Amino acid sequence: MITADGLGKAAAMRRHVIRTLTALGMGLALTAAVSTDRLPMVQAAPIAGLYDVVPRPVSVEPDTAHHHEFTAGAVISVQSGSSGALADAQYLAGFLRRSTGFPLPIRQVSSAATNGISLLLSGAPESVGRQGYRLTIGRAAVVIRARTAAGLFSGIQTLHQLLPAAADASTKQPGPWLVPAGVITDHPRYTYRGAMLDVARHFFSVATVKHYIDEISLYKINYLHLHLSDDQGWRIEIKGWPRLTSVGGATEVGGGSGGFYTQTQYRGIVAYARSRNITVVPEIDMPGHVNAALHSYGKLTCSCVAPPAYTKIGSPNTSLCVSKSVVYDFINDVVGQLAGMTPGRYLHIGGDEVVGVSADKYKTFVAKVQTIVTNHHKTMIGWDQVAAAKLSSGSVAQDWDTTHTNSRLADVSHHGVKLIMSPANHVYLDQKYTKQTKLGLSWAGYVEVDDAYGWNPATYLHDGNHSAVIGVEAPLWSETITTLHDIQYLAFPRLPAAAELGWSPRSTHDWTRFAHRLGLQAPRWTVMGIRFYRSPLVPWRS
Ligand code: NGO
C-alpha cells in the first residue's frame, strides 16, 4: 500500500535493509517478513521506517539505500558553550548508555563530527523556528541541528523513536542499534502542547510525576499543567499557611491519606521537567473547587466556619469569600510563592464551576486575581468560564467545552485573549474509552482514541479567532485513578493523539496513517512498562 506517509517506501526500505543484513549474516529473525509487501510483523523490529514517528514530522525524506548503526565507539558531540544543549546530550546519553552498554562519551564541539551523533545550534534552516530541528541520518553520522536547546531536544525525541524499542530498556540489550537514513525537517504547529495531571483528587508521588514526564516528553509535549488544589486536597506547601498541607493535604477522594509536595520537591519536579523540555504550569483552582483550603482555614469563608473535609467525587460547591481582604492576602501569598518557584510564564487560577458567587462578584474576583498574577510577572490562564471577566490581552482561557458554540469565549478570542483547546469530549483523558472501561468518568461521553484524534484545534470553537489558539492540552483528572498504571492506561494511546494534533501540520492529519504509526509504538511502551489501553481501532504491533 503506497500512501502519502510513505508506507510503501518504508516497506521497501525495510526489505532492502533486511536483505542487506541477511547478506551480512547478521542472523536476524526477520525472514517471515521479507516476502510480503507489509511492514515486518515481528516483535521488536530492529529498524524503523523514517516515517514511524509520532507526532508526524513536517518533512520526511528517506534515504532508502542506507541506514545508520550505533556502535560501541560512538561519541556524542555537542555544541560547546550551551548548557541547554549539554543537558540534551546528557538525556540522550542517559538512556542510550543504559540499554546499549556503550560508553558514549560527550564531547563539546563547534562543528559536526564525521561520525557518532552531533547536536548543533547552527545550520538549521530558519523554517524550524524556536522549537523545530533538522535531523540528518547518514551511514557514518547522525546530525541534529536546531536554533535552540528546545529544538535539539525535539530532534532527539524523533531519533529516540527511530531507535529500536530496546533502546528504552533499563538493562543492557544486545542490539544491533539501527536507524533508517534520511532527513527530517520539523517544527510544531502550536507552541503550547500540554498535558494536565490532577494531583488533588488523588495525590501522586514525585516519582510517579517524573515517570509521566518521561512518557509525555517522548511525544514532544512541552507543558505539564499540575492541578495542585481542589475540594478534596491541597498539594503544595505554602509558607505561612501550614494547615493547607497538614490539614488540607491529608485528604483525597475515597478518604485516603493524600499527600503534598514540599517546596523543595516542587522545585525538583520543575527542574526534572525542564530537563525533558517541559515547563510546569501550576494551578490553584479558585474561587470554587477550594474546599480543602476552606477546611484548613475557616477565615477564608464568609461564615468563618471551616466546612468538613470533602472526599467524594463531585463538589460541595463551597467557595472563597470573595469580599474579604484576607482572601486576597491568601491568594497573593499562594500566587507569589508559586510564581517564585516556577520559571515558566504561565500560572493557572482555575475559575471553573463556581456556585454561590454572583456573576458580578465573580467577574470582579477574576479581574483582581489577574492583577495579582500579573504583579508576580506571570501570565494568567483560567478555565473558559474566566472569559466572563475583563481579561487582559495575552491572558489565556482554556476551552473545555463539549460544544462548538461558546460565544463568550469566541468573542474574547478576537480581543487579545489566547486559547488553549481541551474539549472534554475529545481530549479529557479521564473519560472512559468505552462503556466497559473500568477507570474514568463518562460525563463528556466515551472517548476512544479516534475521538481524541478526530478534531481540529483551529476550528473547534465556532466564530473564534483561529490565530488566538496557542495550542492543545490533554487534561487527566484523577477522581478514579490512584497509580502510575492507572495514569498510563488512560493516557495511552490518547495522549499521543493530542500531541500529534498540537505538533503536526493539519495537512498531515489522517486517522488511518496515524493509527498505523501509533500501533508501532506498542513494543516501546511494553519495554518502558507503560500499561496502555489496546484499543481495537489500532493495528498494534505486538
Ligand atoms: C471538569 C471539572 C473538574 C472535574 C472534571 C472531570 C473542569 C475544568 N472542571 O473539568 O473539576 O474533575 O471535569 O472530568
Side-chain angles (χ1 to χ4, degrees):
M1 176 177 62
I2 308 281
T3 71
D5 233 358
L7 298 187
K9 282 186 193 165
M13 178 174 63
R14 284 209 175 105
R15 285 196 300 280
H16 170 82
V17 171
I18 291 160
R19 275 197 296 271
T20 310
L21 295 175
T22 309
L24 287 171
M26 293 183 74
L28 298 168
L30 284 169
T31 25
V34 175
S35 60
T36 98
D37 264 343
R38 305 196 19 233
L39 300 172
M41 295 305 287
V42 293
Q43 197 162 8
I47 186 160
L50 202 66
Y51 284 91
D52 298 345
V53 178
V54 177
R56 169 41 164 106
V58 171
S59 158
V60 180
E61 303 162 68
D63 168 2
T64 55
H66 299 107
H67 66 276
H68 181 87
E69 178 170 3
F70 291 104
T71 54
V75 170
I76 299 179
S77 303
V78 62
Q79 184 78 53
S80 61
S82 163
S83 57
L86 185 60
D88 290 339
Q90 280 156 349
Y91 166 75
L92 175 65
F95 71 84
L96 276 183
R97 282 177 188 149
R98 238 185 343 259
S99 52
T100 62
F102 300 157
L104 294 170
I106 297 174
R107 203 172 54 189
Q108 304 219 25
V109 299
S110 50
S111 58
T114 49
N115 52 31
I117 311 173
S118 299
L119 308 174
L120 295 171
L121 291 172
S122 63
E126 219 170 296
S127 65
V128 305
R130 295 193 56 74
Q131 294 188 18
Y133 62 91
R134 172 167 285 170
L135 164 63
T136 307
I137 304 174
R139 225 160 40 157
V142 173
V143 182
I144 302 176
R145 294 181 183 275
R147 302 166 80 84
T148 64
L152 285 180
F153 189 85
S154 292
I156 287 171
Q157 292 300 50
T158 296
L159 177 64
H160 189 162
Q161 288 190 24
L162 293 172
L163 281 155
D168 280 291
S170 52
T171 54
K172 188 174 168 202
Q173 304 296 310
W177 304 103
L178 306 175
V179 287
V183 180
I184 291 180
T185 309
D186 200 13
H187 67 273
R189 181 181 185 191
Y190 292 114
T191 56
Y192 188 107
R193 301 171 307 280
M196 187 211 82
L197 184 63
D198 171 9
V199 296
R201 270 49 179 276
H202 284 102
F203 179 67
F204 295 100
S205 68
V206 172
T208 296
V209 175
K210 286 184 178 175
H211 263 284
Y212 196 47
I213 287 171
D214 280 341
E215 292 162 9
I216 63 181
S217 82
L218 191 52
Y219 298 97
K220 303 188 176 79
I221 293 291
N222 63 345
Y223 283 93
L224 174 67
H225 166 184
L226 288 175
H227 185 76
L228 289 168
S229 67
D230 212 298
D231 295 313
Q232 296 87 348
W234 182 282
R235 308 296 180 211
I236 181 73
E237 174 190 11
I238 300 294
K239 311 264 189 223
W241 298 84
R243 287 173 60 81
L244 287 174
T245 43
S246 64
V247 176
T251 55
E252 63 183 8
V253 167
S257 57
F260 67 92
Y261 308 121
T262 63
Q263 295 203 350
T264 305
Q265 287 174 324
Y266 175 82
R267 287 180 204 273
I269 292 173
V270 167
Y272 190 82
R274 191 172 164 65
S275 74
R276 305 294 186 262
N277 194 34
I278 289 177
T279 303
V280 169
V281 178
E283 177 188 354
I284 298 295
D285 207 342
M286 58 180 103
H289 282 288
V290 76
N291 199 71
L294 305 182
H295 175 56
S296 312
Y297 288 99
K299 64 181 171 184
L300 300 175
T301 71
C302 289
S303 65
C304 279
V305 177
Y310 186 81
T311 58
K312 289 191 281 200
I313 291 176
S315 178
N317 294 331
T318 48
S319 69
L320 292 168
C321 189
V322 298
S323 53
K324 269 186 162 177
S325 64
V326 66
V327 163
Y328 297 94
D329 296 340
F330 165 72
I331 294 170
N332 191 51
D333 282 353
V334 172
V335 168
Q337 290 183 35
L338 271 177
M341 298 187 285
T342 306
R345 63 186 281 207
Y346 296 115
L347 205 144
H348 202 304
I349 61 109
D352 57 317
E353 299 183 315
V354 182
V355 178
V357 176
S358 72
D360 277 350
K361 283 187 171 164
Y362 175 77
K363 287 185 208 171
T364 311
F365 173 83
V366 172
K368 279 185 168 178
V369 176
Q370 181 174 246
T371 304
I372 293 173
V373 171
T374 312
N375 287 346
H376 290 288
H377 312 293
K378 297 293 173 190
T379 299
M380 186 186 89
I381 307 179
W383 297 105
D384 59 43
Q385 283 84 356
V386 296
K390 190 160 171 27
L391 298 183
S392 315
S393 182
S395 284
V396 184
Q398 184 167 4
D399 186 1
W400 60 288
D401 204 321
T402 55
T403 76
H404 300 278
T405 51
N406 187 330
S407 55
R408 212 165 43 196
L409 199 58
D411 186 43
V412 299
S413 73
H414 289 280
H415 295 94
V417 172
K418 304 291 184 201
L419 300 174
I420 293 172
M421 301 306 297
S422 301
N425 49 342
H426 291 287
V427 287
Y428 261 33
L429 303 180
D430 65 314
Q431 301 299 297
K432 289 174 185 282
Y433 291 98
T434 67
K435 202 172 171 195
Q436 285 72 39
T437 313
K438 286 207 179 70
L439 299 171
L441 304 174
S442 55
W443 67 264
Y446 301 118
V447 180
E448 249 293 357
V449 59
D450 61 337
D451 300 312
Y453 190 74
W455 61 288
N456 182 355
T459 56
Y460 180 84
L461 177 62
H462 291 175
D463 303 324
N465 174 4
H466 303 168
S467 61
V469 175
I470 60 169
V472 177
E473 182 177 292
L476 179 45
W477 301 94
S478 64
E479 284 93 335
T480 66
I481 60 175
T482 56
T483 66
L484 176 64
H485 283 150
D486 293 348
I487 292 175
Q488 292 168 336
Y489 183 79
L490 289 177
F492 292 89
R494 292 181 291 195
L495 184 279
E500 176 146 321
L501 295 188
W503 181 282
S504 308
R506 178 69 193 160
S507 59
T508 65
H509 291 182
D510 178 291
W511 163 253
T512 308
R513 290 179 211 146
F514 173 69
H516 166 81
R517 283 180 286 110
L518 197 55
L520 296 171
Q521 305 292 307
R524 187 172 310 279
W525 294 347
T526 303
V527 169
M528 290 171 76
I530 296 180
R531 297 255 187 99
F532 62 98
Y533 165 64
R534 282 190 176 265
S535 166
L537 306 180
V538 175
W540 296 110
R541 179 74 64 84
S542 58

